[in-house]
Amino acid sequence: MNTLFNSALKQSSAIRRDLDAFAENPAASSPALQGQISASLTSLSRTIDDYSETAKKELIPTKQEKAYERLKTFRSDLLDYRQTFTRLKKDREDS
């Protein structure tokens, strides 16, 4: 479960970094960056799903509860990233 958690953290950090780069200058951002962000969002979503399945199988209640709390955070972050990405794409189209 730690591996999936660490992977999700790294993916989340990379998405945040890419969104920051996109936000700096949406009009000049390359389509490659947009594709990378889109692929990263999909990958993070899958990692979260895998982490959720692993958390369901956790036998120690305290670890399971901790995993569920982490899942809430990851899902909230993912939703925020998607909304930010959509807004930035719209800003790019408008400019």
Side-chain angles (χ1 to χ4, degrees):
M1 190 155 49
N2 283 337
T3 304
L4 289 170
F5 174 72
N6 289 336
S7 178
L9 274 180
K10 287 179 184 177
Q11 290 172 348
S12 183
S13 296
I15 291 169
R16 195 173 308 116
R17 189 172 42 252
D18 289 343
L19 285 172
D20 288 344
F22 190 22
E24 285 179 17
N25 194 355
S29 295
S30 70
L33 178 59
Q34 291 183 52
Q36 179 178 326
I37 293 170
S38 183
S40 295
L41 289 170
T42 301
S43 179
L44 178 59
S45 178
R46 289 184 183 142
T47 301
I48 292 170
D49 291 343
D50 291 345
Y51 188 71
S52 176
E53 288 302 313
T54 304
K56 289 178 188 175
K57 297 174 186 172
E58 179 58 56
L59 300 176
I60 302 170
T62 54
K63 286 187 177 183
Q64 187 179 47
E65 188 60 36
K66 187 174 184 179
Y68 286 149
E69 290 300 317
R70 289 175 171 173
L71 277 168
K72 286 181 192 176
T73 303
F74 282 137
R75 287 186 176 129
S76 173
D77 289 348
L78 180 60
L79 180 61
D80 182 54
Y81 296 152
R82 284 185 172 151
Q83 290 171 343
T84 301
F85 184 49
T86 301
R87 181 181 47 79
L88 289 171
K89 285 194 308 185
K90 185 178 183 306
D91 290 349
R92 182 174 194 256
E93 291 170 3
D94 291 345
S95 59

